[in-house]
Amino acid sequence: MTTSQATFESLVKDMGEIYALAEIGSVLHWDQETMMPERGVSTRAAQLAELAGVLHAKRTSPELVDKVKSVDSAELDPTQKAAMREICRDVDKAQKVPASLLKEIAKEASLGHQTWAKARKEQNFSLFHPVLERMIGLKKEYAKCLGYKNSPYEALLDEFEPGSELNDVASLLGDLEAPLRDLAERIKSKNQPKVSLQGDYAADAQLKLAKVVSEQLGYAFTAGRLDLAVHPFTSGGTPGDVRITTRVNPQDFQDCLYSTIHEVGHALYEQGIDQSLTFSPLGYAVSLGVHESQSRLWENQVARGPFFSQWIYSRCNEVLGLGEMAYDAFYQAINEVGGSFIRTESDEVTYNLHILLRFELERAIFEEKLDPADLETAWNDRSEELLGFRPPSVDVGVLQDVHWSGGHFGYFPTYTLGNVFAAELYQCAEKDVDDLSAKLVNGDVCELLGWLRENVHQHGRLYRAPELLQRICGHKPSAEPLLDYLEDKFSKIYGL
Amino acid sequence: MTTSQATFESLVKDMGEIYALAEIGSVLHWDQETMMPERGVSTRAAQLAELAGVLHAKRTSPELVDKVKSVDSAELDPTQKAAMREICRDVDKAQKVPASLLKEIAKEASLGHQTWAKARKEQNFSLFHPVLERMIGLKKEYAKCLGYKNSPYEALLDEFEPGSELNDVASLLGDLEAPLRDLAERIKSKNQPKVSLQGDYAADAQLKLAKVVSEQLGYAFTAGRLDLAVHPFTSGGTPGDVRITTRVNPQDFQDCLYSTIHEVGHALYEQGIDQSLTFSPLGYAVSLGVHESQSRLWENQVARGPFFSQWIYSRCNEVLGLGEMAYDAFYQAINEVGGSFIRTESDEVTYNLHILLRFELERAIFEEKLDPADLETAWNDRSEELLGFRPPSVDVGVLQDVHWSGGHFGYFPTYTLGNVFAAELYQCAEKDVDDLSAKLVNGDVCELLGWLRENVHQHGRLYRAPELLQRICGHKPSAEPLLDYLEDKFSKIYGL
């Protein structure tokens, strides 16, 4: 063993302690969103702040930084190199960004969230504008600390999508615009009447259905649990304990059902990471885009697809009772292209146009091509071009999303990357898994899950997103599979 | 402000960080016992170990120890002195006990628990004996590190009951023996037929009852929650987040009902500590004995007493339905003196004899008056004297309790101290609260809770147990109030 290798081993051990402590934060966050009594808020905030302090101190300790510097990556094997890349990323970031700036961002985010909620309620963008300006200023400083080549937005995107080039992401998203606008337009012109799934569905029955479907998809309840949360999320980080949450709308079971499936997609990824990687540098998801590809693949390609939805329809009928609704109507209802003002309520076709809107605007802000004071108008103008409507008010327009209030610039494009990657992966899986459609009709997802486990999940973050996709699909991720998939699926549904 | 005062303030801040981090451990433990999926065990253990490591490093950091040394307590006011006493206790202990010994004890405890469970199942004390010997050896070393005057058992007792003298505790417990044996004997000779509460009670209804009763007792669900656990416990440490657990036996609702009330007693204490003391040296319970006095007072003096039990009876009837059972039979059933082999299933009269047995034996072991090899025989012999029977097997005899397998010597006497303190406190409260009995008949506990809040809860650990009791009752805690209470109550029930 060379000196570099020995130091590397010792670093992995040090980092293991940091990862184990960091994961405590996940448990505390999950608890806060699902279990914590309301009066626990202030002490929980103090606990999280102390934990963050401990982690920052550990990540910036001179001994650790010295070890990182003294490893010569050339002496490591490819897997060790990948691990070292992740260690450096983690330690570098802690070194480069001063704790005082992080605190300021956290403080502004907390204020930002309150102000955003108020401005949204009062439908007044100008209330939010000054807080947004300050947050943008702080995040510019943050980007500067991290460093970038041409645009501060590169540094922000890299936080969520490490290893992806801004220009590549911009091309991918840009390639979607014209075909998706065209597809949405053609669907709209068909004027097809809506099918409603509205009804009266007991919460117990909806949760039972959610559980049945989760288990069928391969989610292991021995390594997780399902609870209620206002905004569904997945809490994970170790394959033995990955918890999902959902919500129940008594009038619309689709919300609980598809929120659950989405989170199950995330959870299957976390549960599928090789357990020997737990608390090691590679034992985590690649990126938000790859994470989202897993949730989207299960939610859309599988559970809103023409095959597995037949199995779901039967379960809905058994558990909830669908009355006179035939499968065809059910299938149309779960795939309705509606042209919603709201991103989170939009369909597979227009969703990515919502994302393109946000991506363009936030990038323009950080590249100083758009003054945040003009954001509302810019939003409305571009909304009209991309989606065909001006939002009637800011609560369903520029103030609809929470992200910017918390300083999460660079996050939005990962949603569309998720859709792009999901289409790429599903196209490959269809080639590799024999009779996938027939299996899905019968609710059998074992081989598909096995394929994802083998190709994506188990590796943790050994490969970065572009490399992972290249290895699996044999080419650089492109918009084509997503466009083909959407064109094919919705042509059939809408008889285009 | 003097230098000592300034250093003291800075110490309080440092310790606040430690307390906030330490409380994260409570959340993780609660989660483990109530929510965590089974496959989360190993990563949770790693998280707890890392957290323990961080806490140990913080408590033994040279800067902190220097600060502690440089404070001259003479310059502090009485409240600051009390806080300084707790800081010293915490920091001293971390200094005195080597981390390696703590690790060895934790390892032996884990093995001990497994071996105890096996030995208990196979009804074979000799299987457990070697592990017990090793644990006793480790705990002797531990006691040596902490220091003591005459007996290593002093140091072990002091962990759970700081400020109480071993001789005082021994006298208190000793004073109970003859009168309780006599009372139990007289009850037994009455040969009163048993009243059964056995039936078939839905879990939902039992939990609803538990919730109704908890709320009536003043437990704030805005600062807590009620969940299921195999062994009910209370998780707290900050008044805004104190969680209780209970269990359900479908055949016997008494288990859920009185377990819940017991835990509510603990929780009311934690919820009642002055919130301004949170994460400060005084913001904690005084001792296990005082903690137990709160659970026992609500469970026994109040909820098994002749007044509040009338209110409980009505609620049981409403929520569960008690069929033909009249109140008198219900009251007798919840106060049956049965002479159980099992401590946790025993009644108010014989419970303390069970404790005396354990206290005498563990003290004798640490004072080398009893060879652990002879523990089974010693247990059986003394059991016969104190309780009137030899256990038919070790699972209901010397191996019935989990405590020794984990090295928790010195813990048992705090249960009886709890009963002694509860009787002392209730006697005082009866004098101070007008018409307490009449209020309890109507389910009105507000004034009693207010009295406990004012006299006990709010102070946190400003006073140690003997001083706290002295201040409230005007005398050193004695066995008399408990004996008077039991004699009076059970004379009436059994017509002695």
Side-chain angles (χ1 to χ4, degrees), chain A residues 82-386:
Chain A
M84 195 61 208
R85 175 194 71 208
E86 297 302 332
I87 294 173
C88 288
R89 183 177 154 82
D90 200 356
V91 174
D92 273 4
K93 194 176 148 186
Q95 288 270 102
K96 285 175 174 170
V97 185
S100 56
L101 179 58
L102 289 177
K103 263 191 198 157
E104 231 178 315
I105 291 173
K107 204 174 130 196
E108 197 64 40
S110 166
L111 177 69
H113 188 270
Q114 289 168 43
T115 314
W116 165 75
K118 186 169 187 280
R120 189 183 181 210
K121 199 174 161 200
E122 298 183 12
Q123 307 203 354
N124 185 350
F125 176 74
S126 65
L127 280 179
F128 181 54
H129 170 234
V131 191
L132 183 66
E133 285 271 15
R134 283 201 301 276
M135 182 56 96
I136 291 166
L138 291 170
K139 292 298 273 193
K140 280 184 182 167
E141 210 180 317
Y142 181 79
K144 217 170 168 179
C145 295
L146 291 174
Y148 51 84
K149 276 185 267 173
N150 304 306
S151 160
Y153 192 78
E154 290 166 8
L156 303 181
L157 175 68
D158 188 76
E159 278 239 270
F160 305 112
E161 204 57 36
S164 286
E165 294 292 328
L166 174 55
N167 287 338
D168 290 344
V169 171
S171 298
L172 262 181
L173 267 67
D175 288 347
L176 294 170
E177 181 181 348
L180 289 185
R181 283 173 65 174
D182 174 61
L183 178 57
E185 195 50 52
R186 280 181 288 141
I187 290 170
K188 199 175 170 192
S189 68
K190 294 294 280 191
N191 257 324
Q192 199 157 299
K194 291 201 169 196
V195 180
S196 172
L197 287 180
Q198 299 272 311
D200 198 7
Y201 304 99
D204 280 6
Q206 291 196 43
L207 289 172
K208 191 186 158 190
L209 177 67
K211 208 167 173 227
V212 166
V213 174
S214 303
E215 271 172 341
Q216 185 76 14
L217 295 176
Y219 176 74
F221 277 93
T222 50
R225 46 182 297 131
L226 173 65
D227 296 280
L228 291 171
V230 179
H231 302 287
F233 66 100
T234 295
S235 174
T238 63
D241 190 352
V242 183
R243 308 180 187 188
I244 55 174
T245 57
T246 190
R247 66 179 161 208
V248 169
N249 175 346
Q251 270 77 56
D252 184 0
F253 70 86
Q254 215 189 149
D255 196 357
C256 176
L257 176 60
Y258 282 92
S259 291
T260 305
I261 296 172
H262 180 95
E263 300 308 329
V264 163
H266 283 302
L268 290 173
Y269 185 11
E270 298 276 349
Q271 288 187 338
I273 295 174
D274 187 334
Q275 291 210 29
S276 70
L277 297 178
T278 297
F279 298 150
S280 88
L282 297 179
Y284 295 88
V286 178
S287 70
L288 285 194
V290 175
H291 228 306
E292 192 74 2
S293 78
Q294 299 308 294
S295 58
R296 293 295 181 168
L297 186 147
W298 290 101
E299 179 190 356
N300 291 332
Q301 270 83 357
V302 176
R304 282 200 178 92
F307 310 114
F308 191 74
S309 62
Q310 295 178 43
W311 182 89
I312 289 190
Y313 170 77
S314 301
R315 294 299 83 66
C316 289
N317 236 337
E318 272 169 25
V319 181
L320 304 172
L322 293 178
E324 313 227 309
M325 178 176 285
Y327 169 72
D328 287 349
F330 173 83
Y331 182 62
Q332 202 195 311
I334 61 173
N335 284 299
E336 197 147 77
V337 177
S340 171
F341 292 120
I342 312 277
R343 172 184 61 87
T344 56
E345 293 170 9
S346 67
D347 51 83
E348 284 186 77
V349 177
T350 58
Y351 186 89
N352 300 299
L353 298 170
H354 283 274
I355 295 301
L356 185 61
L357 169 70
R358 288 150 179 79
F359 168 68
E360 288 177 356
L361 295 175
E362 63 182 17
R363 186 181 178 188
I365 285 172
F366 279 88
E367 295 179 355
E368 291 178 2
K369 290 167 189 160
L370 172 64
D371 183 339
D374 302 328
L375 186 60
E376 182 181 351
T377 312
W379 177 290
N380 292 343
D381 291 348
R382 187 65 174 133
S383 203
E384 199 158 9
E385 285 169 15
L386 284 169

Side-chain angles (χ1 to χ4, degrees), chain B residues 151 153-154 157 161 164-178 352 355-357 359-360 363-364 367 369 382 413-414 416-417 420 476-477 479:
Chain B
S151 159
Y153 192 79
E154 289 165 8
L157 176 67
E161 204 57 35
S164 286
E165 295 292 329
L166 174 56
N167 287 338
D168 291 344
V169 172
S171 299
L172 261 181
L173 266 68
D175 289 348
L176 293 170
E177 180 182 349
N352 299 301
I355 295 301
L356 186 60
L357 169 70
F359 169 68
E360 288 177 356
R363 186 182 177 186
E367 295 179 355
K369 291 166 189 159
R382 189 63 176 134
T414 69
T416 285
L417 288 179
V420 168
K476 211 171 152 176

Side-chain angles (χ1 to χ4, degrees), chain A residues 26-43:
Chain A
S26 304
V27 183
L28 295 180
H29 278 293
W30 172 85
D31 182 78
Q32 181 159 356
E33 297 301 321
T34 57
M35 299 290 158
M36 193 181 77
E38 59 186 81
R39 280 163 55 193
V41 173
S42 60
T43 46

Side-chain angles (χ1 to χ4, degrees), chain B residues 39-301:
Chain B
R39 280 163 56 193
V41 173
S42 61
T43 47
R44 178 56 47 88
Q47 290 169 334
L48 287 168
E50 284 311 326
L51 188 62
V54 167
L55 284 166
H56 189 76
K58 283 198 171 256
R59 286 192 179 109
T60 53
S61 89
E63 301 80 35
L64 188 77
V65 175
D66 282 350
K67 280 188 202 171
V68 170
K69 281 184 187 151
S70 70
V71 172
D72 178 2
S73 269
E75 291 177 28
L76 304 179
D77 71 31
T79 303
Q80 291 173 327
K81 269 199 185 85
M84 196 60 209
R85 175 194 71 211
E86 298 302 332
I87 293 172
C88 288
R89 182 177 155 82
D90 200 356
V91 174
D92 273 5
K93 195 175 147 186
Q95 289 271 101
K96 285 175 173 172
V97 185
S100 56
L101 178 59
L102 288 176
K103 261 190 200 159
E104 231 179 314
I105 291 174
K107 205 174 129 197
E108 196 63 41
S110 167
L111 178 68
H113 188 269
Q114 289 167 42
T115 315
W116 165 76
K118 188 169 185 284
R120 190 183 180 208
K121 200 176 162 198
E122 298 183 13
Q123 306 203 357
N124 184 350
F125 176 73
S126 65
L127 280 179
F128 182 53
H129 171 234
V131 190
L132 183 66
E133 286 270 15
R134 283 201 302 276
M135 182 55 97
I136 290 165
L138 290 171
K139 291 299 273 194
K140 279 183 183 168
E141 210 180 317
Y142 182 78
K144 217 169 169 180
C145 295
L146 291 174
Y148 51 83
K149 275 185 267 172
N150 303 307
S151 159
Y153 192 79
E154 289 165 8
L156 303 181
L157 176 67
D158 188 76
E159 279 237 89
F160 304 113
E161 204 57 35
S164 286
E165 295 292 329
L166 174 56
N167 287 338
D168 291 344
V169 172
S171 299
L172 261 181
L173 266 68
D175 289 348
L176 293 170
E177 180 182 349
L180 289 185
R181 282 174 65 174
D182 175 61
L183 178 58
E185 197 48 54
R186 281 182 288 142
I187 290 170
K188 200 176 170 192
S189 68
K190 295 294 279 190
N191 257 324
Q192 199 157 299
K194 291 200 171 198
V195 180
S196 172
L197 287 180
Q198 299 272 311
D200 198 7
Y201 304 99
D204 280 5
Q206 291 196 42
L207 289 172
K208 191 186 159 191
L209 178 66
K211 207 167 173 226
V212 166
V213 174
S214 303
E215 271 173 341
Q216 185 75 15
L217 294 176
Y219 176 74
F221 276 92
T222 50
R225 46 182 297 129
L226 173 65
D227 295 281
L228 292 171
V230 179
H231 301 288
F233 65 100
T234 296
S235 173
T238 64
D241 191 352
V242 183
R243 307 179 188 189
I244 56 175
T245 56
T246 190
R247 65 179 162 209
V248 169
N249 174 345
Q251 271 76 57
D252 183 1
F253 70 84
Q254 217 190 146
D255 196 357
C256 176
L257 177 60
Y258 282 92
S259 291
T260 305
I261 296 171
H262 181 95
E263 300 308 329
V264 164
H266 284 301
L268 289 174
Y269 186 10
E270 297 276 349
Q271 288 188 338
I273 295 175
D274 187 334
Q275 292 210 29
S276 69
L277 297 178
T278 298
F279 298 150
S280 88
L282 298 179
Y284 294 88
V286 178
S287 69
L288 285 195
V290 176
H291 228 307
E292 192 74 2
S293 77
Q294 299 308 294
S295 57
R296 293 296 182 167
L297 185 146
W298 290 101
E299 180 190 356
N300 291 333
Q301 270 83 357

Side-chain angles (χ1 to χ4, degrees), chain B residues 195-197 201 313 317 320-330:
Chain B
V195 180
S196 172
L197 287 180
Y201 304 99
Y313 170 76
N317 235 336
L320 304 172
L322 293 179
E324 312 226 311
M325 177 176 285
Y327 169 71
D328 287 349
F330 173 82

Side-chain angles (χ1 to χ4, degrees), chain A residues 368-412:
Chain A
E368 291 178 2
K369 290 167 189 160
L370 172 64
D371 183 339
D374 302 328
L375 186 60
E376 182 181 351
T377 312
W379 177 290
N380 292 343
D381 291 348
R382 187 65 174 133
S383 203
E384 199 158 9
E385 285 169 15
L386 284 169
L387 296 159
F389 50 72
R390 290 184 88 80
S393 55
V394 286
D395 57 331
V396 296
V398 68
L399 292 184
Q400 69 179 265
D401 294 304
V402 71
H403 303 56
W404 290 340
S405 74
H408 294 124
F409 305 98
Y411 193 116
F412 281 121

